[in-house]
Amino acid sequence: MKFLLSTSLALLLASTLLTRAADMDQRIHDATGILEKRQGSDDPIPAEILQNAKGVAICTILKGGIGLGGQGGEGIILIRHLGGAAPVWRAPSAFNISGVSLGAQLGFSSISYIIVLNTERAIGQFVGEGKMKWDATATGTAGADTGVESQSTRDLERRDVLVYRESGGIFGGATFGGSSIEVKDEINQLFYGPQIHVRDILEGKVPLPQSA
């Protein structure tokens, strides 16, 4: 009975999250607030980290359950085109995160993340067709609240991803507990047009919306 209850709660959680933000403007607004809050804090993401990033994903994940935990979230990813005279940020693409995790869990929590993507491999996990298993790692640690302040920014830039939480600094071994990431084509198409796919967004065929 406990297992069935836990599973039901996990599925209910995931289905609620996957339908919460129906339009891109709301996702952009939420992501902007998350980034502004982080950059206005006492521990902002260093400018050189963002200047050298290949992309940035910003999302909010809700976790919860009793024993068997469920998690789901939503966000946007922006790719930085490095060709030409100056780097250019492409228009945002929508994605969702879902998954089930095992462990002693009770209750619910909501955490926002800023994920700095430093490799094409990392970007591929957010823009592939179908559901992509999250398996990138952030093995470096830095930030005033981690006690590892000596590691250089250049070292951190070599990692696949750098993950910043809503509170606290970068943390190492970053995973989302068996989560999968899925491009939300229907949200992209409602916003940009019915024939637009994620590859069109990444290739710069879609103009950057005013809200972004």
Side-chain angles (χ1 to χ4, degrees):
M1 181 62 70
K2 180 184 290 187
F3 178 82
L4 291 174
L5 176 60
S6 301
T7 303
S8 298
L9 286 172
L11 293 174
L12 178 61
L13 168 67
S15 64
T16 300
L17 285 162
L18 294 179
T19 58
R20 189 173 66 83
D23 64 64
M24 181 72 78
D25 271 324
Q26 184 61 50
R27 291 181 181 231
I28 293 172
H29 178 270
D30 292 345
T32 301
I34 293 167
L35 184 60
E36 287 180 343
K37 181 178 179 180
R38 182 74 201 202
Q39 297 308 88
S41 71
D42 295 333
D43 188 23
I45 302 172
E48 56 266 36
I49 291 289
L50 294 175
Q51 288 168 359
N52 291 300
K54 291 183 180 293
V56 174
I58 304 174
C59 60
T60 297
I61 297 177
L62 183 61
K63 299 181 180 183
I66 303 173
L68 176 66
Q71 57 187 19
E74 57 195 20
I76 58 172
I77 176 174
L78 296 93
I79 303 302
R80 192 163 172 265
H81 178 62
L82 301 177
V88 176
W89 287 97
R90 302 300 197 194
S93 173
F95 69 88
N96 278 9
I97 292 177
S98 61
V100 175
S101 57
L102 295 171
Q105 302 173 65
L106 179 64
F108 296 87
S109 65
S110 176
I111 305 175
S112 297
Y113 295 90
I114 301 170
I115 307 168
V116 181
L117 308 168
N118 293 319
T119 65
E120 295 297 333
R121 172 177 173 270
I123 290 172
Q125 293 185 327
F126 285 85
V127 299
E129 294 184 3
K131 288 189 176 183
M132 299 286 289
K133 197 72 171 180
W134 170 269
D135 63 4
T137 58
T139 54
T141 57
D145 62 347
T146 65
V148 185
E149 300 180 29
S150 60
Q151 188 165 11
S152 71
T153 299
R154 182 173 298 176
D155 289 336
L156 290 174
E157 289 166 4
R158 297 193 183 103
R159 311 298 183 182
D160 275 359
V161 297
L162 302 176
V163 182
Y164 290 83
R165 289 178 293 182
E166 183 176 24
S167 60
I170 294 175
F171 60 94
T175 67
F176 294 135
S179 295
S180 58
I181 298 170
E182 182 179 15
V183 173
K184 299 306 291 179
D185 276 324
E186 59 269 36
I187 291 179
N188 287 338
Q189 290 171 359
L190 281 172
F191 192 65
Y192 297 118
Q195 303 303 318
I196 297 298
H197 297 279
V198 65
R199 63 180 178 272
D200 302 313
I201 300 172
L202 301 183
E203 292 173 0
K205 297 178 181 179
V206 174
L208 192 69
Q210 184 176 358
S211 55

